[in-house]
Amino acid sequence: MRIAIEGCCHGQLDDIYGSIRLIEQRENCKIDLVLICGDFQSLRNQADTECMAVPPKYRQLGTFWKYYSGRVQAPYPTIFIGGNHEASNYLWELYHGGWVADNIYYLGHAGVINFGGLRIGGISGIAKENHYKRGHYEKSPYNSSDIRSVYHVREYDVRKVLQVQDPVDIFLSHDWPRGIERYGDLRHLMHIKRHFVQEIMENNLGSYPNELILSKLQPSYWFSAHLHVHYAAIVDHDMWKKGIYPPETQSILYGNRLQHIAVNNPDEIKVNPDEIDISLSDDEIKVNPDEIEISLSDDDNNETPVVEEPVVKEPVVEGPVVEEPAVNDAPKFTKFLSLDKCLPRRQFLQIIDIPTANDETKDYDFYYDMEWLSITKAMQPYLSTSYQQTPIPSDEELKALVEKERVYLENKKLAGALDLKIPHNFEATAPAYNPDVPTNPQSIQENQHPFLNPQTVTFCNEIDIQNKINVNCRQGPAPDTVSVNSEFISTNTDIQVDATFINPNLQPIKRLRTEAIASEIVIDEDEFL
């Protein structure tokens, strides 16, 4: 299966699909699946822009509304997770996952599904310890605080993912697992992203919950975005568990005096980041002259768009997850890749070929995952939609509950009452943007209020759980639709595509540079982050 992985989407679906289409034409290949690692921005209308955490001048619709309304159909099966710049009101409608448009599937706030023989999991949002232990209490229309907290990862969703026992092929997150950068070309990263140096030296770059998930699931591949840089790493989980780094990383972190020190060693010698030699020769690195430095601050009072702090330093997670045995007994490696955002001269797209059992039959379709359904059903009583999170049982208790619910669902499947094939049942809720209709301030305000999504109702009924998402909210009329054009519609030219075909070890083997692709991206000089 040939998969296109994209970093931050920022609403530029036309450009992403157009880039992939051009690669197919020039390389005479076919892409079977597209994965997008957050900041997708599924903006249906102008009301949704008011529910997205960006400064007002960046509340732009993008191109998703065309796919939502049916004017254009996604040319590739697409799976995505949420980031920190999203139409949070719409993604909440599909908390358990579902179609945001035909052929575009949201994995949910956390989720695992099967596609074409691959088991794909993911978690949406970014980590922030202020809200980690809270329930999902935010309701749209959002106030100035809730619009930012609504996309913060919750312990409940992390605990759900940590119950997964069966092997996972691909995992998606927006922010990186904490410490992952130490298993790649760290000197290169510190050279091109000097504002990351302090966080790297303090082991604070990335998400602590994602670190726990990586330690437990040990997926074959992990794809992320958020930090707007192309970066690859390979994690040897024996080394990861012991806090042992590659020699080059040890040299950077500790100098030549300590080549064996572990991450949590109390005798660790602190190194001043200003004393680290991260210089590279001109032959080793070419820095993009258009690169804009980004901040990890969570403060945008000055309306300067920033990447939010992707760190949760000390949340308490049930049990010593890092010390748990691996999902597989065999030595495990995770191939990590982070990608940039969809902009000219940026490495936002990567193509990878992963063999699957379905390659001969080409049975590439979406299926629910039985283990994930069992986890969802077992943990549904503890899903809180209030500020206080309902106490979650221990992992040992949850394991027993999950096993019980799996027996129930397996029996239901045997009886023909449960179909694991995900129905292609997209149904619009809020009205879609119509460029031919003038803006109505009253409708913008009204459409920020929640909608009950029929997909969520169907899912909950399918596995016999109580629906807690937008209960008693209106089920909006479908927007005006137009005939679907299954062919990608492209206009204009000029975006540069820089894609790399890679082998399963994430080693570049062929670089493709193309020109003249649809729809130039025009941005403010201080760049949308």
Side-chain angles (χ1 to χ4, degrees), residues 230-330:
H230 181 279
Y231 190 73
I234 299 180
V235 174
D236 178 332
H237 282 280
D238 286 340
M239 295 175 61
W240 175 270
K241 181 177 179 180
K242 298 172 183 175
I244 299 174
Y245 305 126
E248 176 68 11
T249 296
Q250 293 187 35
S251 175
I252 293 171
L253 297 178
Y254 313 120
N256 296 326
R257 292 167 295 178
L258 290 175
Q259 296 295 312
H260 62 279
I261 193 165
V263 176
N264 296 319
N265 190 329
D267 299 323
E268 177 178 344
I269 294 178
K270 302 297 181 183
V271 180
N272 186 342
D274 295 332
E275 299 175 353
I276 301 170
D277 179 13
I278 57 173
S279 60
L280 297 174
S281 68
D282 292 338
D283 293 334
E284 291 177 293
I285 178 69
K286 291 182 179 179
V287 179
N288 184 350
D290 299 323
E291 179 68 37
I292 305 297
E293 295 295 323
I294 59 176
S295 167
L296 295 181
S297 168
D298 196 34
D299 180 10
D300 64 357
N301 291 332
N302 295 325
E303 294 198 352
T304 299
V306 299
V307 174
E308 293 211 14
E309 172 66 59
V311 175
V312 173
K313 293 189 177 180
E314 297 296 337
V316 178
V317 177
E318 186 71 33
V321 179
V322 166
E323 298 300 325
E324 290 186 8
V327 176
N328 290 335
D329 294 330

Side-chain angles (χ1 to χ4, degrees), residues 173-188:
S173 69
H174 190 54
D175 49 358
W176 301 9
R178 186 179 68 172
I180 193 81
E181 77 284 354
R182 297 182 172 198
Y183 292 85
D185 190 346
L186 187 61
R187 191 178 301 277
H188 177 91

Side-chain angles (χ1 to χ4, degrees), residues 125-273:
I126 65 170
K128 194 74 173 178
E129 82 177 302
N130 305 42
H131 305 103
Y132 185 67
K133 289 193 169 288
R134 300 303 176 192
H136 288 285
Y137 63 88
E138 298 88 352
K139 301 289 188 298
S140 58
Y142 303 115
N143 61 35
S144 59
S145 174
D146 291 356
I147 199 171
R148 300 179 69 79
S149 65
V150 66
Y151 55 75
H152 290 158
V153 172
R154 301 308 206 263
E155 181 187 25
Y156 171 81
D157 299 308
V158 174
R159 292 287 302 282
K160 284 182 68 177
V161 176
L162 292 175
Q163 304 315 306
V164 171
Q165 301 294 326
D166 298 337
V168 174
D169 297 301
I170 295 172
F171 199 85
L172 306 178
S173 69
H174 190 54
D175 49 358
W176 301 9
R178 186 179 68 172
I180 193 81
E181 77 284 354
R182 297 182 172 198
Y183 292 85
D185 190 346
L186 187 61
R187 191 178 301 277
H188 177 91
L189 178 65
M190 296 168 78
H191 184 86
I192 63 174
K193 295 285 188 179
R194 292 178 181 270
H195 46 290
F196 289 173
V197 170
Q198 186 71 37
E199 286 82 5
I200 290 171
M201 296 306 298
E202 295 174 351
N203 197 24
N204 281 333
L205 184 70
S207 159
Y208 178 68
N210 287 347
E211 176 187 352
L212 296 175
I213 293 171
L214 175 60
S215 300
K216 174 66 186 297
L217 268 59
Q218 302 182 12
S220 298
Y221 296 87
W222 187 302
F223 301 123
S224 296
H226 191 45
L227 298 184
H228 300 162
V229 64
H230 181 279
Y231 190 73
I234 299 180
V235 174
D236 178 332
H237 282 280
D238 286 340
M239 295 175 61
W240 175 270
K241 181 177 179 180
K242 298 172 183 175
I244 299 174
Y245 305 126
E248 176 68 11
T249 296
Q250 293 187 35
S251 175
I252 293 171
L253 297 178
Y254 313 120
N256 296 326
R257 292 167 295 178
L258 290 175
Q259 296 295 312
H260 62 279
I261 193 165
V263 176
N264 296 319
N265 190 329
D267 299 323
E268 177 178 344
I269 294 178
K270 302 297 181 183
V271 180
N272 186 342

Side-chain angles (χ1 to χ4, degrees), residues 53 139 382 392 486 502:
K139 301 289 188 298
Y382 311 104
I392 305 172
S486 60
I502 55 178

Side-chain angles (χ1 to χ4, degrees), residues 453-466:
N453 198 299
Q455 294 181 70
T456 299
V457 174
T458 299
F459 174 81
C460 292
N461 291 338
E462 187 74 8
I463 62 172
D464 301 321
I465 61 175
Q466 176 191 2

